[in-house]
Amino acid sequence: VERVAKPILDSLSSHGAHQGVMLKVRPYRYASLADVIARAGEGNALVIVLDHVTDEGNFGAIVRTAEIVGAAGVVIANARAARVGAYKTSAGAVMHLPIAQVPNLATALDELKEHGFWAGGATEHAHDVIWDAPVHGRLALVMGSEGSGISRLVREHCDFEFRLPQRGVVESLNVAQATTAIAYEWLWRHIVQDGRERLPQVAWGCRV
């Protein structure tokens, strides 16, 4: 343990939100796509595929959501995408969920589909809203980048597209918020509506 002045921690932290403690750890070990598929098993499963999401905060929040809803894993591109750097942004979820880096997202979607997944792309340009989309079963949920959304090539490899309904005038939710809303719709359909499992009640972040 080395005790240092706060300005030193400030200079080492990417966001300055270190809360007085920093650890030096080994580089994060990414999973393979095969690892994610193996974890998905044979039944209903959710895999979140991120098409060049670059903001570390969004990435961490998405990984946290994925772990909480029981997703099998997260798939990211190995270039031009946020990587596992600050474990705090995901509240430690990166330690419990396989995150796979792949050279080609379109090819990864094809491999997921070979293992029974349907690829659904979330885009504001879609005609169908989420309520009418098959957001259930073995779902590879494709979320696009913060600026340009899902790329043309990746969209071509999606089986269907959908959007979140909205009543306000703001253009859309950010990618982390949208992923959370969609992931919970998937969870709702499989756990609550099907009645196979009773979720613990939660009040203000505490189990009751």
Side-chain angles (χ1 to χ4, degrees), residues 24-41:
K24 185 175 183 179
V25 299
R26 298 172 183 167
Y28 180 79
R29 184 174 180 178
Y30 289 92
S32 67
L33 184 60
D35 293 329
V36 174
I37 293 171
R39 178 163 172 158

Side-chain angles (χ1 to χ4, degrees), residues 19 56-68 84-97 99:
Q19 295 180 306
E56 188 178 271
N58 282 336
F59 174 63
I62 290 170
V63 172
R64 183 175 184 174
T65 290
E67 199 282 327
I68 287 176
V84 177
Y87 287 28
K88 180 182 175 183
T89 57
S90 71
V94 295
M95 304 298 296
H96 306 286
L97 186 76
I99 301 172

Side-chain angles (χ1 to χ4, degrees), residues 108-182:
L109 285 178
D110 288 342
E111 186 171 347
L112 285 166
K113 287 193 280 188
E114 289 175 1
H115 288 82
F117 284 86
W118 291 88
T123 170
E124 61 189 34
H125 305 296
H127 174 73
D128 292 335
V129 296
I130 188 172
W131 321 130
D132 302 320
V135 183
H136 54 76
R138 292 173 70 80
L139 175 66
L141 170 60
V142 183
M143 304 298 299
S145 67
E146 294 89 349
S148 55
I150 304 174
S151 65
R152 177 189 58 80
L153 179 60
V154 173
R155 285 184 69 182
E156 290 175 355
H157 286 255
C158 289
D159 297 305
F160 62 93
E161 294 182 339
F162 61 93
R163 59 182 173 82
L164 288 170
Q166 62 185 72
R167 293 182 175 180
V169 297
V170 176
E171 184 177 3
S172 64
L173 297 173
N174 74 23
V175 64
Q177 294 170 325
T179 302
T180 298
I182 297 164

